[in-house]
Amino acid sequence: MEFQGFSPETFDFLWGLRFNNNREWFEPHKQQYIQTLYEPMKALAAALYPAIRDEFPELECKVSRIYRDQRMHPPVPYKESLWICFRTSDRPWGEQPVLFFELTPDGYSFGFLLWFARPWQMEQLRRQLALEPGPFLKIVDELEKDGTLRLSGEEYKKAKPCPDPALTRFFTMKNLAVIVNRSIDERLYSPGLAREISVTFDALKPLLRYCRKTML
């Protein structure tokens, strides 16, 4: 199945699920979920994956489940979003640099994440920056040059000691993110969405490569 875009029915399902997060509502709408959300998401993953696999053969393509793990989440049976994540299986997704796409009832987002970075991972990044800042700064400058993408992160309440004022911004971060956030728009309904995400992923690959080498 080639990716042809999502549809208004995709969001009919997501909004219905938001207000009816129970098995009594979901079961009669399961085919709507499969046909308008899950299958198009798998097709989008298949469209995006080859270019990522060619450069990062260790990464796998994961499409999330709609079903919540009842041992770990509040007592509602279903998630209100679905996402694609390009990652390895040897550690939790949040503790490794990943590329992702997510669809929610309100809109969509895609980009780069190291969301639940461990303290030792950020310490390794800071040490490498202190030792040799040039490669990382070059990657960030190239990424941010046209103003559409920006590396950000949650900030420590107390900034870490920084050897160079040019690095201060990065020494305050306790995780890393480059995210494009959008409300629902016509791009979601077009096969061109895959190409647009791919262009952003291409821009993010140097950052992904650097972080995988430095922080894992």
Side-chain angles (χ1 to χ4, degrees), residues 46-148:
L48 296 172
Y49 186 44
I52 294 174
R53 181 189 56 211
D54 288 348
E55 295 191 44
F56 300 91
E58 73 277 15
L59 298 186
E60 301 175 7
C61 179
K62 302 287 187 180
V63 177
S64 67
R65 289 165 46 85
I66 197 77
Y67 306 97
R68 287 190 181 277
D69 185 339
Q70 294 301 299
R71 299 168 299 176
M72 302 175 63
H73 295 282
V76 290
Y78 308 104
K79 301 168 187 171
E80 293 182 1
S81 65
L82 210 68
W83 61 89
I84 303 163
C85 188
F86 300 94
R87 49 163 289 191
T88 62
S89 296
D90 59 348
R91 66 180 69 214
W93 73 265
E95 296 177 14
Q96 58 179 296
V98 303
L99 300 176
F100 79 97
F101 171 86
E102 182 175 20
L103 196 60
T104 76
D106 306 292
Y108 61 111
S109 58
F110 54 93
F112 166 94
L113 279 176
L114 177 52
W115 197 238
F116 299 114
R118 307 295 292 174
W120 64 265
Q121 291 175 306
M122 298 307 294
E123 177 62 23
Q124 284 189 186
L125 176 62
R126 291 190 293 271
R127 287 178 180 173
Q128 185 61 32
L129 289 179
L131 181 66
E132 188 180 11
F136 185 77
L137 293 178
K138 182 178 179 181
I139 289 170
V140 174
D141 286 347
E142 181 67 20
L143 184 68
E144 297 180 344
K145 67 181 180 181
D146 66 358
T148 60

Side-chain angles (χ1 to χ4, degrees), residues 2-7 10-11 36-37 40-45 47-49 82 84 86 100-104 107-111 180-202:
E2 291 189 6
F3 179 69
Q4 298 298 320
F6 296 96
S7 67
T10 306
F11 297 95
T36 70
L37 179 57
M41 189 69 80
K42 284 204 309 179
L44 177 59
L48 296 172
Y49 186 44
L82 210 68
I84 303 163
F86 300 94
F100 79 97
F101 171 86
E102 182 175 20
L103 196 60
T104 76
Y108 61 111
S109 58
F110 54 93
V180 177
N181 287 305
R182 291 182 179 156
S183 300
I184 298 168
D185 60 29
E186 291 300 316
R187 287 172 286 200
L188 280 168
Y189 308 137
S190 167
L193 177 66
R195 175 59 186 160
E196 185 173 358
I197 297 170
S198 291
V199 169
T200 298
F201 282 179
D202 285 343

